[in-house]
Every structure is written in structure tokens, then in C-alpha cells.
């Protein structure tokens, strides 16, 4: 009975944003303190990229569960009919953004592999510089294509969930807060990459 009451409780967009941010806080900790994650992974006898991959799967499930909880707990009428009866431009744009975003996300994962995606070089692994699509080798390339793809997918999902009820509940704010997490991760990685490059350059000059 207690569990049922928790599941049926309305989730505010602020609470949803906090739950969605947990994954990105984890990524930041691993990025800035890679030795800690290496130690944890060694303790369980596993490669740090593999353990990070497993944890990432858990967080993805947690994030999609959060979105489902927010949508179903705030939508007072049937969600799917409201989505399908909405503005057709929202539907088309939302679906297009989700599909294109996932194409870029899949391309990034395929190009970098597990070690490249899950911070292998932060654990001391040699990761070759990627020049294939979507990082290069074509016209449709983007900086940080995995994060750009995720942002497009979130924006598309926000458009698909833009029912009058969910808009009043703050679905736009929820989507924007999640996008902000990906932007922060991208800035974090770019900053550390530039810092590492500058440090290595300084060492070579000595």
C-alpha cells in the first residue's frame, strides 16, 4: 500500500529535474576523480569502462522512469490521445528530433566504442583520435555528437509531451533542465581536455 502511494504521488518538474541530474553528477565525479572509479572497479574485479557501462544502463532506466512518472502522475487525462490530438507540427518536429538525435548518438557510440564513450582515457587507456562520422569524415558532423544527439532527443521528447496539462506542470522546464545537464557535461569535458592539452604542452617545453 505504501509503495502504491509513492508510485501514484505527483512528481513536480523540480523533483524530476533533481532525479535526472543524478546521472550527470555521477559522470562528473568519475570524470574528475577517475582513480576512485578505477579502485571501485578493481575491487569487484572488473574493467572501469565496463562497470561504468553497467551503471549507465541503470541510470538510463532511472531517467526514463522519471519521465514516465512525471508524465503519468501529472496528466489527468489519457496521455496518448492527448499527444496524438495535439499540434501536428509538434508531433512531426518531436519525432524528427528524436530520430535524428538517436542517429547521432548511435553514430558516436559506434565510432568511439565502449572505452571511448565511457572515459577510457581518464583511466589511462590509449584511445585513438576519432576522425570518422559523426566526428568527421562527412558533412553532417557536430561537436560532441553524442551530447548533441541527446539534446535533440530530449527536445523532441519535450515537444511530444507538450500537452496542455503537462505544459502547466512544467514539462518545458524539465526538458530544459535535462538539456542543461548535457551542456554542463560537454563544457566539463571540453575544459578538462583543454587543460590536459595545455599541461602536456607545458611539460614538453621544459
Amino acid at each position: 500500500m505504501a509503495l502504491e502511494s509513492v508510485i501514484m504521488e505527483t512528481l513536480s518538474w523540480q523533483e524530476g529535474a533533481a532525479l535526472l541530474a543524478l546521472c550527470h553528477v555521477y559522470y562528473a565525479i568519475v570524470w574528475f576523480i577517475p582513480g576512485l572509479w578505477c579502485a571501485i572497479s578493481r575491487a569487484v574485479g572488473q574493467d572501469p569502462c565496463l562497470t561504468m557501462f553497467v551503471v549507465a544502463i541503470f541510470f538510463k532506466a532511472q531517467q526514463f522512469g522519471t519521465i514516465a512518472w512525471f508524465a503519468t502522475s501529472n496528466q489527468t487525462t489519457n496521455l496518448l490521445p492527448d499527444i496524438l490530438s495535439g499540434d501536428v507540427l509538434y508531433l512531426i518536429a518531436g519525432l524528427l528530433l528524436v530520430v535524428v538525435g538517436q542517429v547521432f548518438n548511435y553514430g558516436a557510440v559506434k565510432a568511439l566504442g565502449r572505452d571511448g564513450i565511457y572515459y577510457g582515457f581518464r583511466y589511462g587507456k590509449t584511445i585513438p583520435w576519432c576522425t570518422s562520422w559523426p566526428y568527421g569524415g562527412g558533412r553532417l558532423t557536430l561537436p560532441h555528437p553524442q551530447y548533441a544527439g541527446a539534446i535533440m532527443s530530449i527536445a523532441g521528447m519535450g515537444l511530444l509531451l507538450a500537452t496542455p496539462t503537462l505544459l502547466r506542470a512544467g514539462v518545458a522546464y524539465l526538458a530544459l533542465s535535462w538539456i542543461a545537464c548535457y551542456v554542463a557535461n560537454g563544457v566539463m569535458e571540453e575544459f578538462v581536455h583543454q587543460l590536459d592539452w595545455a599541461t602536456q604542452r607545458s611539460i614538453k617545453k621544459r
Side-chain angles (χ1 to χ4, degrees), residues 192-202:
V192 173
H193 171 74
Q194 295 295 336
L195 184 63
D196 286 349
W197 180 83
T199 301
Q200 291 171 5
R201 187 180 183 187
S202 176

Side-chain angles (χ1 to χ4, degrees), residues 87-133:
D87 192 320
V88 67
L89 292 178
Y90 276 35
L91 289 174
I92 294 173
L95 288 172
L96 186 61
L97 281 168
V98 170
V99 170
V100 174
Q102 287 308 299
V103 168
F104 273 101
N105 186 60
Y106 172 78
V109 172
K110 185 177 180 181
L112 294 182
R114 188 177 69 196
D115 287 355
I117 289 292
Y118 294 107
Y119 300 171
F121 87 98
R122 299 294 290 164
Y123 309 133
K125 296 186 178 185
T126 300
I127 308 297
W129 190 260
C130 182
T131 57
S132 61
W133 187 86

